[in-house]
Amino acid sequence: MVNGLLAGLLENKKRYGYMCCPCRLSSGDRTKDQDIICPCVYRVPDVKEFGSCYCALYVSREWNEGKIPHEYVPERRPPEKMFA
């Protein structure tokens, strides 16, 4: 899973010139995508609340050791940024 995410980050770097989250749609505009450049601004609150970020590239020790459930992490990015 990690290798696939890393490949997506590298592909986005080739495509857009920056490594935006491979689990989200990029606009191709670095300024508009600033919040989803990896590590995205949503990573810290996601890991704090759920033990992993949206795409599960960043996880807590407890998540990794199976001490907390691997729950679905809802999208925190506001709709107006996703469809701009």
Side-chain angles (χ1 to χ4, degrees):
M1 186 168 150
V2 171
N3 288 335
L5 291 168
L6 294 176
L9 285 168
L10 292 174
E11 182 62 34
N12 283 342
K13 185 173 183 176
K14 279 194 270 183
R15 184 179 296 149
Y16 304 117
Y18 53 94
M19 292 194 299
C20 59
C21 179
C23 299
R24 295 181 167 104
L25 293 177
S26 172
S27 70
D29 179 327
R30 186 182 184 101
T31 303
K32 289 180 182 176
D33 292 338
Q34 194 66 37
D35 63 321
I36 60 169
I37 293 176
C38 191
C40 75
V41 299
Y42 312 106
R43 173 189 59 136
V44 171
D46 284 352
V47 172
K48 184 176 181 179
E49 184 175 348
F50 298 100
S52 75
C53 68
Y54 183 68
C55 65
L57 182 58
Y58 293 91
V59 300
S60 68
R61 179 180 306 271
E62 294 79 14
W63 188 96
N64 198 43
E65 292 174 350
K67 294 178 180 176
I68 60 173
H70 296 182
E71 297 181 42
Y72 170 76
V73 178
E75 175 64 89
R76 289 183 192 268
R77 193 173 199 214
E80 62 271 12
K81 288 194 171 228
M82 291 189 278
F83 305 109

